[in-house]
Amino acid sequence: MLRRSIAVSIAGGSDARVDPISWSNLARMVLDLGRFDEATALAERAMRQARARGDTVVADQAQLMAARANSAAGHAARAEALLDDVEARFRTMFPPTHAAFTAVATDRVRAALERGDLTRATQLADDGVRFMESDPRLATALPLALRLRAAVHLRAGRYAQALADLERLLPMTRSSVPEGVLSSGLGN
């Protein structure tokens, strides 16, 4: 559906009428399908076009998506450069406990994992969990932080620690899924 919407917008031969958020949303879907290089190209297109239009909110969201896609595609250095850039911008815009930093924190863990740096991934995952536990307003990001930290523990062969994080995560996931609803997060 999103591809069709974009196709209609570029029917005249130019993508100038396509809203950059559409490119970013498409990048997210393509990333979920495991098409990492395509997701990277789409997210970076969204980022460039949003910046050209002066839409900093969409540009920053697209930049986070581009970092995620680059990381998944195995381009850890590019992902980290994008994260450094957007984090520096966030530091001028938001207080240190702002929710925007949760995305940067989780994406840094992903980049370290993709690079195979388990020591750095562990440190970042621990820092991310502590950060999200530090303020009740960040609680909605804690399940992702725990899931990522469990992934780091699994990759490092620390099964008991991974299990502890997942056991802590399970009640959070259960509380967010209505009774009788199937959820992959719950394994059904």
Side-chain angles (χ1 to χ4, degrees):
M1 186 65 122
L2 188 54
R3 279 197 188 275
R4 182 167 292 197
S5 169
I6 290 171
V8 167
S9 295
I10 62 175
S14 168
D15 65 3
R17 291 184 13 206
V18 178
D19 194 312
I21 196 68
S22 295
W23 293 121
S24 187
N25 289 339
L26 183 58
R28 181 181 314 275
M29 289 184 218
V30 170
L31 180 64
D32 288 346
L33 293 172
R35 294 169 21 202
F36 306 134
D37 289 327
E38 184 181 358
T40 298
L42 289 165
E44 295 210 9
R45 172 189 271 180
M47 182 180 68
R48 284 189 307 276
Q49 288 183 347
R51 291 239 184 276
R53 292 181 182 189
D55 190 342
T56 57
V57 172
V58 171
D60 290 340
Q61 291 302 310
Q63 187 162 342
L64 288 168
M65 179 55 58
R68 204 166 297 139
N70 271 282
S71 181
H75 310 301
R78 174 71 176 143
E80 289 170 354
L82 289 164
L83 291 170
D84 289 345
D85 181 61
V86 76
E87 183 176 21
R89 204 167 23 267
F90 285 173
R91 291 204 182 284
T92 67
M93 298 165 48
F94 304 121
T97 57
H98 192 277
F101 294 105
T102 64
V104 175
T106 56
D107 286 337
R108 286 197 185 282
V109 174
R110 287 184 181 108
L113 266 177
E114 286 299 323
R115 199 175 55 252
D117 186 346
L118 295 178
T119 301
R120 180 78 174 135
T122 299
Q123 175 192 0
L124 290 167
D126 288 343
D127 290 348
V129 168
R130 275 193 297 278
F131 172 61
M132 291 164 214
E133 290 173 329
S134 72
D135 188 328
R137 295 172 296 174
L138 303 177
T140 58
L142 185 57
L144 175 58
L146 288 169
R147 193 169 28 257
L148 282 171
R149 188 167 72 176
V152 172
H153 288 320
L154 282 173
R155 181 99 49 101
R158 297 186 297 261
Y159 303 113
Q161 291 162 300
L163 181 60
D165 278 342
L166 294 172
E167 286 176 339
R168 191 170 162 210
L169 172 64
L170 190 57
M172 293 177 200
T173 305
R174 279 191 180 125
S175 70
S176 69
V177 177
E179 187 70 33
V181 172
L182 300 179
S183 166
S184 62
L186 295 174
N188 58 15

